[in-house]
C-alpha cells in the first residue's frame, strides 16, 4: 500500500476509534453548497462529515473491528462521526436528506 493510502487509513481508523458512532451516507448529487450546509448542521449537533475513499475506509473499518459493513461501501460515500448523541446526528442527516 502506498504511503498516502496508509496515512488515510490511519486517519479514518483514528476517527472511528475516537467516535462512539459512525453513520455511512451517500452524498451523490450534493453540490458544494449543500455539503457546506450539512457540515454546519452537523457541527451544531456535535458531529462532522468526512468524504472517504471506499476501498481505504473498508480497510480502516476492518482494522477497527467493524467488518465489511454488509456491502454498504459503494458509490460516493461520506462518514458522519461525533462525540455526542448519535440520535441528534442521525436526525440531522435524515432531515437534511
Amino acid at each position: 500500500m502506498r504511503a498516502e493510502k496508509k496515512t488515510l487509513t490511519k486517519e479514518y481508523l483514528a476517527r472511528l476509534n475516537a467516535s462512539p458512532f459512525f453513520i455511512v451516507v451517500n452524498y451523490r448529487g450534493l453540490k458544494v453548497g449543500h455539503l457546506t450546509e450539512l457540515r454546519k448542521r452537523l457541527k451544531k449537533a456535535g458531529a462532522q462529515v468526512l468524504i472517504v475513499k471506499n476501498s481505504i475506509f473498508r480497510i480502516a473499518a476492518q482494522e477497527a473491528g467493524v467488518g465489511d459493513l454488509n456491502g454498504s461501501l459503494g458509490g460516493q460515500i461520506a462518514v458522519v462521526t461525533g462525540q455526542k448523541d448519535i440520535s441528534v446526528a442521525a436526525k440531522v442527516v435524515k432531515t437534511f436528506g
Side-chain angles (χ1 to χ4, degrees):
M1 186 182 305
R2 291 192 329 243
E4 299 87 17
K5 289 184 178 183
K6 286 181 182 180
T7 301
L8 280 176
T9 302
K10 287 179 185 177
E11 179 185 337
Y12 297 167
L13 183 59
R15 283 183 181 259
L16 287 174
N17 288 333
S19 178
F21 69 88
F22 71 97
I23 305 167
V24 177
V25 296
N26 183 328
Y27 71 92
R28 184 176 54 199
L30 282 182
K31 297 189 184 313
V32 173
H34 294 131
L35 191 56
T36 301
E37 179 61 28
L38 177 60
R39 287 182 197 274
K40 287 180 188 177
R41 292 183 190 183
L42 285 169
K43 185 175 182 178
K44 289 179 185 176
Q48 60 275 345
V49 64
L50 176 70
I51 307 245
V52 298
K53 181 155 176 56
N54 298 354
S55 59
I56 297 173
F57 186 75
R58 184 177 294 114
I59 294 167
Q62 288 173 346
E63 287 183 19
V66 177
D68 68 355
L69 302 175
N70 296 324
S72 63
L73 298 179
Q76 297 174 318
I77 65 166
V79 176
V80 177
T81 58
Q83 295 302 316
K84 295 186 179 177
D85 189 8
I86 185 174
S87 61
V88 176
K91 184 175 181 181
V92 169
V93 171
K94 181 179 178 187
T95 57
F96 188 81

